[in-house]
Amino acid sequence: MISPKVSALLIVAGVAACATPGQVRRVETQVAVLDRDHVRSDSAHAAELARIRATQRETMDSINRLMAQLNDNVQRVSREDAGNFESLRQQLYQVANLTSSTQSRVASLGTRIETGLQSAPPPAAVTPGDTTHPAANSVTIPPPDVLLSQGSTGLEQSAFGSARMALKALLDNYPSSPQVADALFMMGRSYDPNTPDSARVYYIRVWKEFPNSPRAPTALYKLAELERKANNTAAARGYYQQIVDKYKQSDEYRFAQDALRDMP
């Protein structure tokens, strides 16, 4: 699957010959925004991936040892020593089985990661410290940074359902957490661009409720782009103007200026 960043770069390459400088810069900012999102994203599944890499290294070492032994046997075999061919056949069979086993183990680890993401977030109805809730004694709610990391991981893997479960658990159970602005923005991303109405709801909350957050100008830019795609020129212009008026130090400031100049 082509990543969002690669898609954006392909768009830049395709339109560079016929687009205005402002239009090209708008596409470039999409890449910049995606880059920053990736930088901000935590790697909750790093341990699982490290285990995958360790498994692969261990297996490849075993394969290399078998292949070295196989090569030595090939060098020693002669036309008269037909018995060695059976040994070689067995070693080739072992190599094939080992390769197949490696693929199965890696696939199994990948499935465990996705399953963990889907099952990790707790029911939203259970609140921290609520000893009266029937599930309070059996369910432990992860802290907000863990839930945010699970949401980020789900977005990176395009597992949007899992991402939303984790982010919603954070929003429901930790409404005063410093991670709320990030969680709202990621919720918007999980719906953008396939469900623009839902994406708008969360981007607007970021802008309205957390105007001083670094996410605010990015949310405004996302809103402007959604409106522009929907041919709502006046609404798009309004969001771009908010960036120009209030977020002069943001990465989106220059691109918002270019967009306003290019708009009719």
Side-chain angles (χ1 to χ4, degrees):
M1 178 181 294
I2 299 176
S3 71
K5 180 177 177 182
V6 173
S7 299
L9 289 173
L10 291 175
I11 292 171
V12 171
V15 303
C18 60
T20 67
Q23 290 172 327
V24 172
R25 284 192 293 271
R26 279 199 307 280
V27 177
E28 289 173 342
T29 199
Q30 295 291 346
V31 178
V33 169
L34 287 172
D35 281 339
R36 191 169 70 250
D37 289 344
H38 284 299
V39 169
R40 288 172 176 164
S41 297
D42 198 359
S43 299
H45 61 303
E48 290 291 346
L49 296 179
R51 283 194 286 274
I52 292 175
R53 287 193 289 268
T55 299
Q56 291 174 321
R57 285 195 299 269
E58 177 185 348
T59 303
M60 289 307 301
D61 288 344
S62 298
I63 292 175
N64 288 336
R65 286 194 295 270
L66 281 171
M67 292 304 295
Q69 183 180 359
L70 180 60
N71 184 63
D72 290 342
N73 286 340
V74 169
Q75 297 299 323
R76 290 196 301 268
V77 74
S78 66
R79 294 179 183 275
E80 294 76 23
D81 193 6
N84 280 343
F85 284 107
E86 177 61 23
S87 175
L88 294 177
R89 188 185 68 79
Q90 292 295 330
Q91 291 180 48
L92 286 172
Y93 179 75
Q94 291 177 28
V95 170
N97 281 344
L98 190 56
T99 301
S100 176
S101 174
T102 299
Q103 293 173 343
S104 297
R105 292 169 71 184
V106 170
S108 175
L109 285 172
T111 300
R112 285 168 55 196
I113 291 173
E114 176 62 19
T115 301
L117 286 170
Q118 293 176 352
S119 61
V126 181
T127 57
D130 181 8
T131 58
T132 63
H133 195 282
N137 295 326
S138 60
V139 176
T140 300
I141 300 175
D145 57 335
V146 172
L147 292 171
L148 188 70
S149 178
Q150 290 173 350
S152 175
T153 300
L155 289 179
E156 294 298 324
Q157 297 179 345
S158 297
F160 299 121
S162 298
R164 290 168 194 154
M165 287 175 63
L167 296 170
K168 188 176 187 302
L170 190 159
L171 294 173
D172 289 346
N173 295 292
Y174 302 99
S176 301
S177 167
Q179 289 89 351
V180 168
D182 288 335
L184 289 171
F185 183 81
M186 289 183 187
M187 284 289 280
R189 277 187 55 201
S190 75
Y191 290 107
D192 187 357
N194 296 327
T195 315
D197 289 342
S198 296
R200 284 188 187 93
V201 170
Y202 289 102
Y203 290 149
I204 288 174
R205 285 191 62 186
V206 173
W207 167 45
K208 294 287 189 181
E209 297 176 23
F210 302 92
N212 297 322
S213 166
R215 294 289 195 182
T218 308
L220 280 168
Y221 193 88
K222 293 279 193 181
L223 285 166
E225 292 296 292
L226 286 174
E227 298 300 344
R228 194 163 187 169
K229 290 175 183 175
N231 295 319
N232 298 327
T233 304
R237 180 182 291 277
Y239 289 129
Y240 287 133
Q241 193 64 52
Q242 287 283 339
I243 297 172
V244 171
D245 292 343
K246 299 180 180 179
Y247 299 98
K248 292 181 171 56
Q249 304 303 317
S250 69
D251 294 339
E252 291 79 12
Y253 174 74
R254 178 168 59 89
F255 300 105
Q257 282 186 314
D258 293 338
L260 288 171
R261 280 195 296 267
D262 291 341
M263 292 178 73

